Amino acid sequence: MAEELVYVPREALRQLFFTQLVNSGLPEKFSEKTADLMIFADERGIHSHGAVRAEYYSNRIKAKGYNLQPTLHFEQTGPCSGIYHGDNAIGHYVAYKAMEEAIAMAKHKGIAVVGVKEMGHSGAIGYYARQAALEGMVALTVCQSDPMVVPFGGAKPYFGTNPIAFATPKREGKPILFDMATTVQAWGKILDARSKGKMIPDTWAVDDQGEPTTNPHAVAALLPAAGPKGYGLMMMIDILAGSLLGLPFGQHVTSMYKDLSEYRRLGQLHIVINPAFFGDADRFLAQISQMVDELHAIPPSKGFDQVYYPGEIQEMMIEKYRESGIPVAKEIYDYLTQ
Ligand code: NAI
């Protein structure tokens, strides 16, 4: 039976996240940014990375699976490169601070490549790419996740759901934000289905026998998006966000759920490009807006109402939820308000 939903106004839900994190022992500045990331996801309908993660973060904080007194520092390693040392703090704050460094560098140097070294899970990574786009930059960010995906043709998991996000400003309105797990679906979508009592399509995941399953509770591993293509992409992301930074890779990445007291040591890589260093920035922005207009003008195919640009539907969800409140499984709402 489908689980009951509670519709919560954005600010109230954000406050519940913040309070839960602080009460679990996470210092306020980390709790602020983590709550921002969680509401960023939920208000866009990316329910895999919002309320559904609250209890997990709380349990990991209590288990000291994050460094709660980290020494964070940025090391410039070349004219356009650097490493942000996260000291296993909660990833949301670390990845955000690293992107701040990357934006500042790209504004002056034209491009910045900043590795983020040793942090906890950093949530919906589109947040960081969008952070740069809001400053007029084009950005790409990739990160590691724990091994829960069968490689193409394999029966055991090896890579994580290693996501990639790409954002660009346009001349007017919201940035374009493409943000995806390299699996058919993110692991959080399985959690979301579990919490809401829903079945999943048989193309998302396999059970412990390596067979496709529609039962979210039977999922043992996820499937790569588009077979060998998603698999290839997740491997390259692991190389950029992990091996390049000398971090554990593939099946050696620490599990998210097994030992909550163990530091994750995850890596992420931000690449930020200042369009002004590659031609006329105004013309660039105008061209992106023209591209969007032309895509919107393409007649929809059967079953579709229109062509959307990446991230557009998520932006529309913000408006929708402003009216209705954000849907949260009652079980999670009760947990947050107990
Ligand atoms: P998704 O499948 O819901 O969307 C992927 C992309 O496709 C989005 O940019 C979306 O705007 C676009 N899209 C979807 N429908 C569209 C349509 N009709 N027209 C145009 N564009 C459309 O996202 P997915 O793969 O489920 O990822 C969810 C989140 O999980 C992401 O925010 C990702 O960063 C996060 N994630 C984080 C991980 C971590 O370890 N930190 C691991 C894996 C995922």
Side-chain angles (χ1 to χ4, degrees), residues 46 48-49 121-126 143-145 161 163 177-181 183 185-186 189 308-314:
I46 309 171
S48 54
H49 284 79
H121 177 252
S122 66
I125 67 164
C143 85
Q144 292 181 298
S145 170
T161 56
L177 174 56
F178 177 64
D179 178 20
M180 62 166 262
T183 39
Q185 289 294 347
K189 295 263 168 73
Y308 296 95
Y309 63 79
E312 189 171 13
I313 293 173
Q314 282 82 3

Side-chain angles (χ1 to χ4, degrees), residues 42-319:
D42 263 338
E43 73 176 339
R44 285 174 169 72
I46 309 171
H47 297 303
S48 54
H49 284 79
V52 79
R53 303 278 174 153
E55 188 169 0
Y56 164 76
Y57 292 140
S58 179
N59 290 340
R60 184 170 271 279
I61 294 162
K62 289 177 191 159
K64 306 274 189 293
Y66 299 113
N67 186 348
L68 302 179
Q69 303 295 333
T71 305
L72 305 175
H73 81 279
F74 179 62
E75 175 193 359
Q76 178 141 1
T77 56
C80 302
S81 61
I83 294 176
Y84 195 91
H85 295 270
D87 201 15
N88 286 299
I90 197 158
H92 309 76
Y93 184 82
V94 174
Y96 163 76
K97 294 301 284 182
M99 183 52 96
E100 275 191 342
E101 298 287 353
I103 294 166
M105 188 183 276
K107 278 188 176 174
H108 292 102
K109 306 281 186 184
I111 185 162
V113 182
V114 172
V116 193
K117 203 167 168 178
E118 306 215 320
M119 59 168 191
H121 177 252
S122 66
I125 67 164
Y127 183 97
Y128 314 107
R130 183 173 179 275
Q131 183 185 338
L134 291 173
E135 299 275 340
M137 306 288 121
V138 178
L140 183 76
T141 186
V142 292
C143 85
Q144 292 181 298
S145 170
D146 52 320
M148 54 168 68
V149 188
V150 287
F152 184 67
K156 273 180 62 186
Y158 187 85
F159 286 117
T161 56
N162 302 355
I164 179 166
F166 181 104
T168 178
K170 48 188 171 53
R171 193 174 46 193
E172 59 277 308
K174 308 272 170 54
I176 295 172
L177 174 56
F178 177 64
D179 178 20
M180 62 166 262
T182 43
T183 39
V184 178
Q185 289 294 347
W187 176 252
K189 295 263 168 73
I190 308 290
L191 297 180
D192 190 47
R194 283 181 184 173
S195 77
K196 291 176 180 153
K198 290 184 189 159
M199 302 301 269
I200 57 168
D202 65 1
T203 49
W204 288 14
V206 292
D207 62 18
D208 57 6
Q209 303 299 310
E211 295 297 324
T213 180
T214 56
N215 176 1
H217 296 279
V219 171
L222 299 173
L223 287 161
K229 299 177 186 180
Y231 159 61
L233 204 48
M234 68 181 60
M235 178 176 179
M236 293 305 154
I237 289 170
D238 202 65
I239 289 169
L240 285 175
S243 300
L244 193 64
L245 300 167
L247 294 173
F249 62 94
Q251 66 184 7
H252 309 288
V253 173
T254 309
S255 166
M256 187 158 188
Y257 297 100
K258 276 184 194 145
D259 178 357
L260 294 186
S261 68
E262 191 179 0
Y263 287 165
R264 299 287 315 280
R265 302 188 60 211
L266 294 174
Q268 187 152 346
L269 192 83
H270 298 320
I271 300 175
V272 180
I273 299 166
N274 183 345
F277 282 68
F278 294 86
D280 181 339
D282 288 337
R283 199 185 55 205
F284 168 74
L285 295 177
Q287 194 172 103
I288 303 297
S289 291
Q290 183 184 342
M291 191 186 286
V292 166
D293 290 345
E294 289 173 2
L295 286 167
H296 283 161
I298 291 192
S301 66
K302 206 171 164 195
F304 289 83
D305 58 348
Q306 72 159 81
V307 174
Y308 296 95
Y309 63 79
E312 189 171 13
I313 293 173
Q314 282 82 3
E315 292 292 345
M316 288 160 57
M317 294 305 285
I318 297 176
E319 295 309 317

